[in-house]
Amino acid sequence: MERNTRQSGKSGQGKIIGSEEAFREFLSGINTPKLRSAILDTGRFSEEEIDNQLAVYVGEMLHGYRFVAEHILPGKLRILEVGAGLGLMSIYLHRLGHEVVALEPAALAFGFFEVSKKEIWKAAYPDTPALSEKTAEELTPEIDGKFDFIFSMNVMEHIADINKATAAILGVLENDGICVNSCPNYLVPYEPHYAIPMVPFAHSLTRKIYNRKIAKNPDIWDSLNFINWFSVRRMARQNGATVTFESGLIYKSFKRLGEDEEFMARHRDGLVGKMFKILSATRLLGLLRFLPPIASTPMIFTYRLKK
């Protein structure tokens, strides 16, 4: 495969990511009355449900933009987004001139997600990246090529065979590329999707205790692989890679509650919202920045292939 994607970066070109204002403008061009009307016309969702769900997606995409902007490499890149979701980040990066593959298995699409994704891609067409509906476990360099920058956001905990998937993902990573991921660290006894504490190392017991809450949406629980700091280190070692973890993430997550109204609204009545109020009132919040990554959730970790 003839490629020169990293040459411009190596010759001094900076990160091609655009400003946050430009990303907000991009989102406003996607999240339009026409999109809402198209979803409403399916007859499956009310206007209130559509507005609430899209507000959540847009809020998370702004957070995702900051994640990508911080970690993306310089220059025009060949990029793989693992678990692209609605595809908004992949579409945006494609429009900036990167060569992007959005990996989102078709079998995982359902409900509002399925409908809104279909309408978003229809609205964005033809200026869209490549969409691959295979699983991460099915990636191969012979078919998919290799990538300079691979990233995932809140996806790794949902991959069924995380060991096989990690091997496949690192198998399509360029020698000088990076693979950056953000997901929960289940060494910390907290489950963010349900906002519940967990019995340490006793997932089945946790499910029994919180069965009523989990039963409202069991598919999420059934998809969890309970990835953690130790398993990430093991997978790096098994695949000839190094891994680094970022510090202070639990502090940043709590801090976001005080800065992001929509994010706080989703957590205000849960365990995290209550903890935030206590930590803020007692002025202990700042101490969380000193927690080591092993004791912090979420975790952001970066794989690099050993040279």
Side-chain angles (χ1 to χ4, degrees):
M1 183 180 297
E2 184 179 350
R3 302 175 54 252
N4 60 357
T5 57
R6 294 293 299 281
Q7 297 305 311
S8 58
K10 290 179 179 179
S11 63
Q13 184 174 333
K15 294 180 177 182
I16 302 176
I17 187 62
S19 66
E20 185 167 327
E21 291 73 17
F23 185 69
R24 288 177 182 272
E25 184 177 348
F26 160 77
L27 289 178
S28 67
I30 297 290
N31 185 13
T32 62
K34 184 177 180 180
L35 171 65
R36 287 182 169 84
S37 177
I39 298 173
L40 186 64
D41 287 346
T42 66
R44 297 171 62 180
F45 309 97
S46 68
E47 289 189 36
E48 183 179 3
E49 287 174 321
I50 294 169
D51 288 341
N52 289 341
Q53 288 283 355
L54 289 178
V56 170
Y57 286 140
V58 168
E60 287 306 304
M61 279 298 97
L62 287 171
H63 187 64
Y65 165 84
R66 294 164 192 148
F67 169 79
V68 174
E70 181 178 351
H71 297 95
I72 194 170
L73 296 170
K76 287 191 176 181
L77 310 169
R78 189 160 194 262
I79 297 174
L80 174 68
E81 182 178 6
V82 178
L86 298 182
L88 292 170
M89 184 59 65
S90 286
I91 294 170
Y92 175 73
L93 291 170
H94 166 77
R95 292 185 177 182
L96 291 178
H98 299 290
E99 181 185 347
V100 182
V101 175
L103 185 71
E104 182 59 45
L108 298 183
F110 58 92
F112 185 87
F113 178 93
E114 177 187 18
V115 173
S116 53
K117 176 189 172 185
K118 178 181 178 182
E119 294 302 331
I120 284 171
W121 280 78
K122 186 188 299 183
Y125 185 83
D127 195 9
T128 52
L131 174 64
S132 176
E133 295 185 327
K134 65 171 61 177
T135 66
E137 294 93 326
E138 297 172 305
L139 290 166
T140 65
E142 294 79 13
I143 296 175
D144 303 291
K146 292 202 172 185
F147 298 87
D148 305 302
F149 181 64
I150 301 174
F151 72 99
S152 73
M153 299 180 288
N154 304 316
V155 168
M156 287 297 176
E157 73 269 29
H158 298 292
I159 295 178
D161 192 338
I162 187 62
N163 294 290
K164 185 177 180 180
T166 298
I169 289 168
L170 293 179
V172 297
L173 181 64
E174 286 283 6
N175 289 334
D176 58 349
I178 63 172
C179 173
V180 188
N181 310 278
S182 173
C183 70
N185 171 20
Y186 284 101
L187 284 183
V188 179
Y190 175 73
E191 208 306 295
H193 302 85
Y194 297 95
I196 57 174
M198 296 182 65
V199 180
F201 310 107
H203 306 146
S204 59
L205 181 56
T206 299
R207 179 160 192 169
K208 289 180 181 178
I209 295 172
Y210 293 98
N211 183 61
R212 182 175 298 178
K213 190 166 189 177
I214 292 171
K216 293 179 181 178
N217 196 347
D219 290 343
I220 291 178
W221 181 272
D222 292 340
S223 75
L224 296 177
N225 56 41
F226 301 103
I227 188 172
N228 62 56
W229 186 86
F230 285 114
S231 62
V232 170
R233 283 169 55 89
R234 172 181 51 78
M235 289 185 290
R237 185 171 61 252
Q238 291 174 341
N239 291 284
T242 62
V243 64
T244 54
F245 295 84
E246 295 186 21
S247 300
L249 292 181
I250 197 166
Y251 167 74
K252 291 180 180 178
S253 293
F254 274 108
K255 192 168 180 284
R256 183 185 172 194
L257 288 169
E259 300 171 344
D260 186 333
E261 292 183 7
E262 191 278 327
F263 186 62
M264 182 59 173
R266 285 159 36 207
H267 294 278
R268 180 173 287 109
D269 297 327
L271 177 63
V272 170
K274 293 174 183 177
M275 288 180 63
F276 172 74
K277 292 176 183 177
I278 294 171
L279 291 168
S280 298
T282 56
R283 299 185 179 181
L284 294 175
L285 185 61
L287 294 178
L288 295 180
R289 72 182 73 194
F290 301 110
L291 279 178
I294 191 174
S296 180
T297 191
M299 57 182 173
I300 293 177
F301 55 95
T302 301
Y303 289 123
R304 293 177 175 85
L305 297 179
K306 292 181 179 179
K307 297 181 180 180

